[in-house]
Coordinates of all heavy atoms in Angstrom, one line a residue:
D43 N -61.2 33.3 202.6 CA -60.4 32.2 202.4 C -61.2 30.9 202.4 O -61.0 30.0 201.6 CB -59.3 32.1 203.5 CG -58.2 33.1 203.3 OD1 -58.1 33.7 202.1 OD2 -57.5 33.4 204.2
W44 N -62.1 30.7 203.4 CA -62.9 29.5 203.5 C -63.7 29.3 202.2 O -63.9 28.2 201.7 CB -63.7 29.5 204.7 CG -64.8 30.6 204.7 CD1 -64.6 31.9 205.1 CD2 -66.1 30.5 204.2 NE1 -65.7 32.7 204.9 CE2 -66.7 31.8 204.3 CE3 -66.9 29.5 203.6 CZ2 -68.0 32.1 203.9 CZ3 -68.2 29.8 203.2 CH2 -68.7 31.1 203.4
L45 N -64.2 30.4 201.7 CA -65.1 30.4 200.5 C -64.3 30.0 199.3 O -64.8 29.2 198.4 CB -65.8 31.7 200.3 CG -66.9 31.7 199.3 CD1 -68.0 30.7 199.6 CD2 -67.6 33.1 199.2
E46 N -63.1 30.5 199.2 CA -62.2 30.1 198.1 C -61.9 28.6 198.1 O -61.9 27.9 197.1 CB -60.9 30.9 198.1 CG -61.1 32.3 197.7 CD -59.8 33.1 197.7 OE1 -58.7 32.5 198.0 OE2 -59.8 34.3 197.4
D47 N -61.6 28.1 199.3 CA -61.3 26.7 199.5 C -62.4 25.8 199.2 O -62.3 24.7 198.6 CB -60.7 26.4 200.9 CG -59.4 27.1 201.1 OD1 -58.7 27.5 200.1 OD2 -59.0 27.3 202.3
Y48 N -63.6 26.2 199.6 CA -64.8 25.3 199.6 C -65.8 25.7 198.6 O -66.9 25.1 198.6 CB -65.4 25.2 201.0 CG -64.5 24.5 202.0 CD1 -63.6 25.1 202.8 CD2 -64.5 23.1 202.0 CE1 -62.8 24.5 203.7 CE2 -63.6 22.4 202.9 CZ -62.8 23.1 203.8 OH -62.0 22.5 204.6
S49 N -65.6 26.6 197.7 CA -66.6 27.1 196.8 C -67.2 26.0 195.9 O -68.5 26.0 195.8 CB -66.1 28.2 195.9 OG -65.0 27.8 195.1
Q50 N -66.4 25.1 195.4 CA -67.0 24.0 194.6 C -67.8 23.0 195.4 O -68.9 22.6 195.0 CB -65.9 23.3 193.8 CG -65.4 24.2 192.7 CD -64.5 23.5 191.7 OE1 -63.7 22.7 192.1 NE2 -64.5 24.0 190.5
A51 N -67.3 22.7 196.6 CA -68.1 21.8 197.5 C -69.4 22.5 198.0 O -70.5 21.8 198.0 CB -67.3 21.5 198.7
I52 N -69.3 23.8 198.2 CA -70.5 24.5 198.6 C -71.6 24.6 197.5 O -72.8 24.3 197.7 CB -70.2 26.0 199.1 CG1 -69.4 25.9 200.4 CG2 -71.4 26.8 199.3 CD1 -68.7 27.2 200.8
S53 N -71.1 24.8 196.3 CA -72.0 24.9 195.1 C -72.6 23.5 194.9 O -73.9 23.4 194.6 CB -71.3 25.4 193.9 OG -70.3 24.5 193.5
S54 N -71.9 22.4 195.0 CA -72.4 21.1 194.8 C -73.4 20.8 195.9 O -74.5 20.2 195.7 CB -71.3 20.0 194.8 OG -70.5 20.2 193.6
G55 N -73.1 21.2 197.1 CA -74.0 20.9 198.3 C -75.3 21.7 198.1 O -76.3 21.2 198.4
A56 N -75.2 22.9 197.7 CA -76.4 23.8 197.5 C -77.3 23.1 196.4 O -78.5 23.0 196.6 CB -76.0 25.2 197.0
L57 N -76.7 22.6 195.3 CA -77.5 21.9 194.3 C -78.1 20.7 194.9 O -79.3 20.4 194.6 CB -76.6 21.5 193.1 CG -76.7 22.4 191.9 CD1 -75.7 22.0 190.9 CD2 -78.0 22.6 191.4
A58 N -77.4 19.9 195.7 CA -78.0 18.7 196.3 C -79.2 19.1 197.2 O -80.2 18.4 197.2 CB -76.9 18.0 197.2
V59 N -79.0 20.1 198.0 CA -80.1 20.6 198.8 C -81.4 21.0 198.0 O -82.5 20.6 198.3 CB -79.7 21.7 199.8 CG1 -80.9 22.4 200.5 CG2 -78.7 21.2 200.8
V60 N -81.1 21.8 197.0 CA -82.2 22.2 196.1 C -82.9 21.0 195.4 O -84.1 20.9 195.4 CB -81.7 23.2 195.0 CG1 -82.8 23.5 193.9 CG2 -81.3 24.5 195.7
V61 N -82.1 20.2 194.8 CA -82.7 19.0 194.1 C -83.4 18.1 195.0 O -84.5 17.7 194.8 CB -81.5 18.3 193.3 CG1 -82.0 17.0 192.8 CG2 -81.1 19.2 192.2
L62 N -82.7 17.7 196.1 CA -83.4 16.7 197.1 C -84.5 17.4 197.8 O -85.6 16.8 198.1 CB -82.4 16.2 198.0 CG -81.3 15.2 197.4 CD1 -80.2 14.9 198.4 CD2 -81.9 14.0 196.8
G63 N -84.4 18.7 198.1 CA -85.5 19.4 198.7 C -86.7 19.5 197.8 O -87.9 19.5 198.3
S64 N -86.5 19.5 196.5 CA -87.7 19.5 195.6 C -88.6 18.3 195.7 O -89.7 18.3 195.3 CB -87.2 19.7 194.1 OG -86.7 18.5 193.6
L65 N -88.0 17.2 196.3 CA -88.9 16.0 196.4 C -90.0 16.3 197.4 O -91.0 15.6 197.3 CB -88.0 14.9 197.0 CG -87.0 14.3 196.0 CD1 -86.0 13.4 196.7 CD2 -87.6 13.5 194.9
A66 N -89.9 17.2 198.2 CA -91.0 17.6 199.2 C -92.2 18.3 198.4 O -93.3 18.4 199.0 CB -90.5 18.4 200.3
F67 N -91.9 18.8 197.2 CA -92.9 19.5 196.5 C -93.1 18.9 195.1 O -93.9 18.0 195.0 CB -92.5 21.0 196.4 CG -92.2 21.6 197.7 CD1 -90.9 21.8 198.1 CD2 -93.2 22.0 198.6 CE1 -90.6 22.3 199.4 CE2 -92.9 22.6 199.8 CZ -91.6 22.7 200.2
V68 N -92.4 19.4 194.2 CA -92.4 18.8 192.8 C -91.0 18.5 192.5 O -90.1 19.4 192.4 CB -93.0 19.8 191.8 CG1 -92.9 19.3 190.4 CG2 -94.4 20.2 192.1
P69 N -90.7 17.2 192.2 CA -89.3 16.9 191.8 C -88.8 17.8 190.7 O -89.5 18.0 189.7 CB -89.4 15.4 191.4 CG -90.6 14.9 192.1 CD -91.5 16.1 192.2
F70 N -87.6 18.3 190.8 CA -87.1 19.2 189.8 C -87.2 18.7 188.4 O -87.4 19.4 187.5 CB -85.7 19.8 190.2 CG -84.6 19.1 189.5 CD1 -84.0 19.8 188.4 CD2 -84.1 17.9 189.9 CE1 -82.9 19.2 187.7 CE2 -83.0 17.3 189.2 CZ -82.4 18.0 188.1
T71 N -86.9 17.4 188.2 CA -87.0 16.8 186.9 C -88.4 16.9 186.3 O -88.6 17.0 185.1 CB -86.5 15.4 186.8 OG1 -87.3 14.6 187.7 CG2 -85.0 15.3 187.2
E72 N -89.4 16.8 187.1 CA -90.8 16.8 186.7 C -91.1 18.1 186.0 O -91.9 18.2 185.0 CB -91.7 16.6 187.8 CG -93.2 16.4 187.4 CD -94.1 16.0 188.5 OE1 -93.7 15.2 189.4 OE2 -95.3 16.5 188.5
Q73 N -90.5 19.2 186.4 CA -90.8 20.5 185.8 C -90.4 20.5 184.3 O -91.0 21.1 183.5 CB -90.1 21.6 186.6 CG -90.7 21.9 187.9 CD -89.9 22.9 188.7 OE1 -88.7 23.0 188.6 NE2 -90.7 23.8 189.4
Y74 N -89.3 19.8 184.1 CA -88.8 19.7 182.7 C -89.6 18.7 181.9 O -89.9 18.9 180.7 CB -87.3 19.4 182.7 CG -86.4 20.5 183.2 CD1 -86.1 20.5 184.6 CD2 -86.0 21.5 182.4 CE1 -85.3 21.5 185.1 CE2 -85.3 22.6 182.9 CZ -84.9 22.6 184.3 OH -84.2 23.6 184.8
A75 N -89.9 17.5 182.6 CA -90.6 16.5 181.9 C -92.0 16.9 181.4 O -92.4 16.4 180.4 CB -90.7 15.3 182.8
R76 N -92.6 17.8 182.2 CA -93.9 18.2 181.8 C -93.9 19.0 180.5 O -95.0 19.0 179.8 CB -94.5 19.1 182.9 CG -95.0 18.4 184.1 CD -95.6 19.3 185.1 NE -96.1 18.5 186.2 CZ -96.9 19.0 187.1 NH1 -97.4 20.2 187.0 NH2 -97.3 18.2 188.1
E77 N -92.8 19.5 180.1 CA -92.7 20.3 178.8 C -92.7 19.4 177.6 O -93.0 19.8 176.5 CB -91.5 21.2 178.8 CG -91.7 22.3 179.9 CD -90.5 23.3 179.8 OE1 -89.5 23.1 179.1 OE2 -90.7 24.3 180.5
S78 N -92.4 18.1 177.8 CA -92.4 17.2 176.7 C -93.3 16.0 176.8 O -93.5 15.3 175.8 CB -90.9 16.7 176.5 OG -90.5 16.0 177.6
A79 N -94.0 15.9 178.0 CA -94.9 14.8 178.2 C -96.3 15.3 178.0 O -96.6 16.4 178.4 CB -94.7 14.2 179.6
P80 N -97.2 14.4 177.5 CA -98.6 14.9 177.4 C -99.2 15.1 178.8 O -98.9 14.4 179.7 CB -99.3 13.7 176.7 CG -98.2 12.7 176.3 CD -97.0 13.1 177.0
R81 N -100.1 16.1 178.9 CA -100.7 16.5 180.1 C -101.4 15.3 180.8 O -101.4 15.3 182.1 CB -101.7 17.6 179.9 CG -102.3 18.2 181.2 CD -103.2 19.4 180.9 NE -102.5 20.6 180.8 CZ -102.1 21.3 181.8 NH1 -102.2 20.9 183.0 NH2 -101.4 22.4 181.6
E82 N -102.0 14.4 180.1 CA -102.7 13.3 180.7 C -101.8 12.4 181.5 O -102.3 11.6 182.3 CB -103.5 12.6 179.6 CG -102.8 12.0 178.5 CD -102.7 13.0 177.3 OE1 -103.1 14.1 177.4 OE2 -102.3 12.5 176.2
V83 N -100.5 12.4 181.3 CA -99.6 11.5 182.1 C -99.1 12.2 183.3 O -98.5 11.5 184.2 CB -98.5 10.9 181.2 CG1 -99.0 10.1 180.1 CG2 -97.5 12.0 180.8
W84 N -99.2 13.5 183.5 CA -98.6 14.2 184.5 C -98.9 13.7 185.9 O -98.1 13.8 186.8 CB -98.9 15.7 184.5 CG -98.3 16.4 183.3 CD1 -97.6 15.9 182.3 CD2 -98.4 17.8 183.0 NE1 -97.2 16.9 181.4 CE2 -97.7 18.1 181.8 CE3 -99.1 18.9 183.7 CZ2 -97.6 19.3 181.3 CZ3 -99.0 20.1 183.2 CH2 -98.3 20.4 182.0
D85 N -100.2 13.3 186.1 CA -100.6 12.8 187.4 C -100.6 11.3 187.6 O -101.1 10.8 188.6 CB -102.0 13.4 187.7 CG -102.0 14.9 187.8 OD1 -101.1 15.4 188.4 OD2 -102.9 15.5 187.3
T86 N -100.0 10.6 186.7 CA -100.0 9.1 186.8 C -98.9 8.7 187.8 O -97.8 9.4 187.9 CB -99.7 8.5 185.4 OG1 -98.4 8.9 185.0 CG2 -100.8 8.8 184.4
P87 N -99.1 7.6 188.5 CA -98.1 7.2 189.4 C -96.7 6.9 188.8 O -95.7 7.2 189.3 CB -98.7 5.9 190.0 CG -100.1 6.0 189.8 CD -100.3 6.8 188.5
R88 N -96.7 6.4 187.5 CA -95.5 6.1 186.8 C -94.7 7.3 186.5 O -93.5 7.4 186.8 CB -95.8 5.3 185.5 CG -94.6 5.0 184.7 CD -93.9 3.8 185.3 NE -92.8 3.5 184.4 CZ -91.6 3.1 184.8 NH1 -91.3 3.1 186.1 NH2 -90.6 2.9 184.0
F89 N -95.3 8.4 186.1 CA -94.7 9.6 185.8 C -94.1 10.2 187.0 O -92.9 10.7 187.0 CB -95.7 10.6 185.1 CG -95.1 11.9 184.7 CD1 -94.4 12.0 183.5 CD2 -95.3 13.1 185.4 CE1 -93.9 13.2 183.1 CE2 -94.8 14.3 185.0 CZ -94.1 14.4 183.8

């Protein structure tokens, strides 16, 4: 019952934890950005 009631909140919360947690390692958007950005910008402060 609790899972049925809160499933969408739990899923959004899980995504928030994964996404914000990725800041401790490699921001999740960076994994995608590297596929379209030249390698020489990957380590720049702006990127």
Side-chain angles (χ1 to χ4, degrees):
D43 287 343
W44 64 273
L45 193 55
E46 287 182 1
D47 292 341
Y48 292 96
S49 63
Q50 289 187 327
I52 293 167
S53 65
S54 294
L57 261 176
V59 168
V60 167
V61 168
L62 293 173
S64 76
L65 291 167
F67 306 100
V68 176
F70 100 99
T71 58
E72 188 173 323
Q73 293 179 318
Y74 295 94
R76 285 181 177 198
E77 293 184 351
S78 60
R81 182 176 280 281
E82 56 269 11
V83 302
W84 291 4
D85 294 319
T86 64
R88 179 78 176 136
F89 185 78

